[in-house]
């Protein structure tokens, strides 16, 4: 199963390298695009859940790394939830 990493930039300028066990991320994000925080988190939730489900269909168990990545994104995103104009930039697809 092809895995990939991608780099995002949070509203405070902090970069984070993220993981997906599937290329499905490319269906939800575009490199260089900026997303409102809620939209970014919703897309991440959907894409990483699909990615984990694909692992489960193939190997018989969910991808804990994808679910952990989602948990990290949601926790970090929560720190910006009081900023109504907060946006997340998907800087690149790395591999």
């Amino acid at each position: 199963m092809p895995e990939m990493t991608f780099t995002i930039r949070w509203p405070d300028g902090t970069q984070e390298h993220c993981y997906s066990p599937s290329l499905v991320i490319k269906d939800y994000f575009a490199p260089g695009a900026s997303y409102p925080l809620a939209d970014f988190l919703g897309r991440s939730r959907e894409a990483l859940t699909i990615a984990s489900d694909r692992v489960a269909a193939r190997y018989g168990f969910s991808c804990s790394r994808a679910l952990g990545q989602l948990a990290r994104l949601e926790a970090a995103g929560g720190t910006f939830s009081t900023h109504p104009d907060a946006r997340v930039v998907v800087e690149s697809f790395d591999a």
Side-chain angles (χ1 to χ4, degrees), residues 12 26 31 35 71 79:
D12 67 355
K26 292 182 176 184
Y35 300 89
T79 65

Side-chain angles (χ1 to χ4, degrees), residues 51-69:
S52 179
D53 290 348
R54 288 181 179 178
V55 169
R58 184 164 184 178
Y59 298 105
F61 52 87
S62 298
C63 180
S64 61
R65 191 168 171 197
L67 299 175
Q69 178 66 70

Side-chain angles (χ1 to χ4, degrees), residues 15-93:
Q15 283 189 330
E16 183 170 344
H17 299 285
C18 303
Y19 170 81
S20 172
S22 166
L23 301 180
V24 72
I25 292 295
K26 292 182 176 184
D27 295 338
Y28 287 82
F29 297 111
S34 173
Y35 300 89
L37 178 63
D39 183 37
F40 172 79
L41 293 174
R43 288 170 183 254
S44 296
R45 191 173 302 110
E46 189 169 342
L48 289 169
T49 299
I50 289 169
S52 179
D53 290 348
R54 288 181 179 178
V55 169
R58 184 164 184 178
Y59 298 105
F61 52 87
S62 298
C63 180
S64 61
R65 191 168 171 197
L67 299 175
Q69 178 66 70
L70 176 57
R72 283 192 299 280
L73 291 174
E74 289 181 335
T79 65
F80 303 106
S81 63
T82 60
H83 300 90
D85 297 328
R87 298 184 74 81
V88 179
V89 177
V90 176
E91 293 194 331
S92 62
F93 294 145

